[in-house]
């Protein structure tokens, strides 16, 4: 009986050991299968080829500060009261056109006084001239003294000078009288009228602001790699991403034919500083804006886009391939389908494609799918954009 018990116990131990060994084998086999499946698993992604493409480079501008080179105040040149205003706000004016007239009550009186002084001086000069001529004849006959002749001559010259002085005073007063008319300093529009009819102003007081916004300017600081794509004389298209172009600081008039929110503006590069042939990390490009539609004014605008008119053939990839905000990294796919993270140097973009200056070669494949969850070394399959 005892022997049978021992045999049964041994059999149970053998079966238990066998079951434990079988379980361990199943667990190991399952792990190997999972690892094998993970190693053989491929992730489907979207991608595109690195290739030469023709693009019109775009630059997103956070702020554009427009300014005019033709703005000036119409200034009172004498003291006086505004008697007439010949223009209204937004009136078009030409340089030299009279836009205000002043009245200085003292000037007419002073002119009359000057004319009276001239009349007296003319009478005194006539008398001195006759006296000088008489003493000249007497001196020729040696019938008078040298002292009397010199006195007559001196009186004549003094009377001549007195008349010239009186005439000069009158001319100065006539000039002041003419300055009662205030003229437009430049061609343009009346942007602001500072003073109203009947106001008294002193010399040097601005009365109205005249400006010409048909041509505006702005300067754009750029990294050298972006500035190198432009040259003096290049044209570009300036557009805005919002409707704030209607917010006018000076309330100038809109020209016929404008497209409102959909309006774009042609701009031309006037100057690049420092010149492109000189080494520099930063450059400034001065742009001239064609604003004949009258939508823009001298002020700051946000949300602008500058698009080059000149197309460039460049090595590029889709912007979607960039996996960081600085546009310095991409995922590429090796010929055997393995992901690799690559550091790149980028240049201009057109909103869809971005220039590759270094880090990639023509024909390589980049990933354009979302980069979240991807890592170097993963095995992937790529469906190329535009390829069925």
């Amino acid at each position: 009986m005892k022997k049978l018990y021992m045999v049964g116990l041994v059999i149970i131990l053998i079966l238990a050991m066998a079951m434990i060994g079988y379980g361990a084998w199943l667990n190991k086999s399952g792990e190997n299968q999972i690892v094998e499946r993970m190693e053989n698993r491929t992730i489907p992604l979207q991608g595109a080829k690195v290739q030469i493409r023709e693009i019109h480079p775009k630059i997103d501008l956070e702020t554009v500060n427009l300014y005019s080179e033709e703005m000036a105040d119409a200034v009172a040149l004498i003291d006086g009261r505004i008697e007439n205003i010949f223009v209204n706000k937004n009136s078009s004016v030409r340089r030299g056109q009279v836009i205000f007239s002043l009245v200085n009550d003292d000037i007419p009186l002073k002119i009359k006084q000057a004319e009276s002084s001239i009349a007296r001086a003319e009478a005194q000069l006539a008398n001195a001239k006759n006296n000088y001529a008489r003493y000249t004849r007497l001196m020729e006959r040696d019938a008078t003294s040298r002292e009397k002749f010199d006195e007559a001559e001196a009186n004549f010259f003094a009377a001549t000078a007195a008349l010239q002085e009186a005439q000069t005073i009158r001319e100065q007063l006539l000039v002041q009288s003419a300055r009662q008319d205030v003229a437009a300093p430049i061609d343009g529009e009346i942007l602001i009228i500072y003073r109203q009819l009947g106001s008294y102003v002193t010399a040097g007081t601005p009365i109205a602001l005249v400006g010409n916004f048909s041509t505006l300017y702005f300067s754009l600081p750029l990294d050298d790699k972006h500035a190198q794509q432009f040259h003096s004389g290049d044209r570009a298209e300036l557009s805005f991403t919002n409707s704030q172009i209607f917010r006018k600081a000076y309330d100038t008039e809109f020209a016929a034919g404008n497209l409102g929110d959909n309006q774009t503006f042609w701009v031309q590069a006037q100057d690049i500083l420092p010149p492109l042939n000189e080494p520099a990390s930063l450059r400034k490009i001065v742009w001239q804006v064609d604003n004949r539609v009258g939508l823009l004014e001298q002020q700051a605008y946000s949300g602008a886009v500058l698009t080059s008119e000149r197309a460039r053939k460049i090595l590029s990839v889709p912007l979607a391939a960039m996996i960081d905000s600085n546009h310095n990294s991409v995922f590429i796919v090796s010929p055997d389908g393995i992901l690799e993270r690559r550091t790149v140097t980028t240049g201009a973009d057109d909103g869809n494609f971005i220039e590759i200056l270094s880090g990639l070669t023509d024909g390589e494949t980049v990933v354009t799918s979302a980069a979240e969850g991807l890592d170097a070394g993963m095995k992937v399959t790529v469906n190329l954009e535009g390829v069925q």
Side-chain angles (χ1 to χ4, degrees):
M1 186 71 181
K2 186 176 181 180
K3 184 182 288 186
L4 290 174
Y5 174 78
M6 294 300 294
V7 171
L9 182 60
V10 170
I11 292 172
I12 291 172
L13 290 172
I14 291 172
L15 289 174
M17 294 295 292
M19 291 181 65
I20 293 172
Y22 181 67
W25 177 81
L26 285 177
N27 187 55
K28 183 67 174 176
S29 177
E31 288 179 355
N32 290 337
Q33 288 180 8
I34 291 172
V35 170
E36 184 178 353
R37 288 174 183 172
M38 290 297 291
E39 289 178 347
N40 292 330
R41 187 179 67 126
T42 59
I43 303 172
L45 298 174
Q46 294 292 319
K49 287 292 185 181
V50 182
Q51 65 187 60
I52 302 294
R53 296 179 176 89
E54 185 174 84
I55 73 170
H56 294 265
K58 287 186 177 181
I59 299 176
D60 292 325
L61 307 176
E62 185 175 340
T63 303
V64 175
N65 289 298
L66 299 181
Y67 64 90
S68 172
E69 291 187 342
E70 296 182 86
M71 288 186 69
D73 284 322
V75 176
L77 299 179
I78 62 168
D79 300 347
R81 178 176 49 81
I82 298 176
E83 183 180 46
N84 292 294
I85 300 177
F86 301 111
V87 293
N88 298 309
K89 192 174 185 303
N90 294 329
S91 296
S92 295
V93 294
R94 304 291 295 177
R95 180 178 181 179
Q97 177 182 337
V98 176
I99 57 177
F100 289 83
S101 67
L102 307 178
V103 170
N104 184 315
D105 295 330
D106 291 339
I107 291 177
L109 295 175
K110 290 179 179 179
I111 290 175
K112 288 182 179 179
Q113 290 174 354
E115 289 175 345
S116 297
S117 297
I118 289 173
R120 288 194 299 272
E122 287 175 340
Q124 290 172 356
L125 177 60
N127 184 52
K129 184 178 180 180
N130 291 334
N131 200 35
Y132 177 50
R134 183 168 64 85
Y135 274 97
T136 299
R137 291 192 296 272
L138 291 173
M139 190 67 182
E140 290 173 353
R141 295 196 298 268
D142 200 20
T144 186
S145 65
R146 183 70 188 182
E147 289 78 7
K148 290 186 178 293
F149 172 79
D150 289 343
E151 182 181 356
E153 184 179 52
N155 290 337
F156 169 71
F157 289 146
T160 301
L163 176 59
Q164 291 174 347
E165 182 180 1
Q167 290 172 335
T168 299
I169 291 173
R170 184 183 63 177
E171 293 299 324
Q172 290 174 342
L173 290 169
L174 290 175
V175 169
Q176 290 187 31
S177 178
R179 287 177 176 173
Q180 291 180 113
D181 290 334
V182 180
I186 59 173
D187 296 346
E189 296 179 42
I190 301 295
L191 303 178
I192 300 175
I193 296 178
Y194 299 121
R195 304 288 175 170
Q196 300 304 314
L197 193 66
S199 300
Y200 185 83
V201 296
T202 57
T205 302
I207 298 179
L209 177 63
V210 182
N212 184 354
F213 292 160
S214 62
T215 300
L216 295 170
Y217 299 86
F218 69 94
S219 60
L220 178 63
L222 288 176
D223 292 336
D224 180 59
K225 68 178 183 180
H226 289 115
Q228 288 291 341
Q229 66 188 272
F230 296 106
H231 301 87
S232 292
D234 279 358
R235 295 210 315 161
E237 190 177 71
L238 181 67
S239 58
F240 294 88
T241 58
N242 54 50
S243 61
Q244 69 170 344
I245 55 177
F246 293 111
R247 301 174 189 171
K248 295 199 168 214
Y250 297 97
D251 194 28
T252 53
E253 300 289 357
F254 299 113
N258 71 75
L259 301 179
D261 291 355
N262 298 319
Q263 184 70 47
T264 57
F265 303 86
W266 283 111
V267 301
Q268 188 172 39
Q270 295 295 294
D271 203 3
I272 301 178
L273 301 169
L276 295 174
N277 59 359
E278 297 180 6
S281 297
L282 288 173
R283 302 185 192 277
K284 181 179 76 172
I285 303 180
V286 179
W287 294 91
Q288 181 186 76
V289 184
D290 183 349
N291 184 44
R292 285 175 290 181
V293 293
L295 285 172
L296 302 176
E297 290 186 335
Q298 176 174 287
Q299 59 175 305
Y301 295 88
S302 61
V305 179
L306 192 66
T307 305
S308 175
E309 179 188 41
R310 180 165 52 90
R312 297 176 58 207
K313 290 186 177 181
I314 57 175
L315 188 69
S316 64
V317 297
L319 266 171
M322 297 295 116
I323 60 178
D324 67 326
S325 59
N326 294 323
H327 297 166
N328 289 330
S329 297
V330 297
F331 277 123
I332 71 163
V333 181
S334 67
D336 55 357
I338 304 300
L339 272 186
E340 176 188 338
R341 190 183 183 108
R342 186 78 62 82
T343 299
V344 297
T345 303
T346 56
D349 71 82
D350 67 351
N352 295 310
F353 297 94
I354 188 166
E355 181 180 16
I356 299 298
L357 299 175
S358 66
L360 295 174
T361 58
D362 194 3
E364 289 189 294
T365 300
V366 294
V367 175
T368 57
S369 302
E372 185 178 355
L374 299 182
D375 201 359
M378 290 181 172
K379 192 169 184 179
V380 299
T381 58
V382 178
N383 179 30
L384 292 177
E385 297 177 3
V387 177
Q388 299 296 327

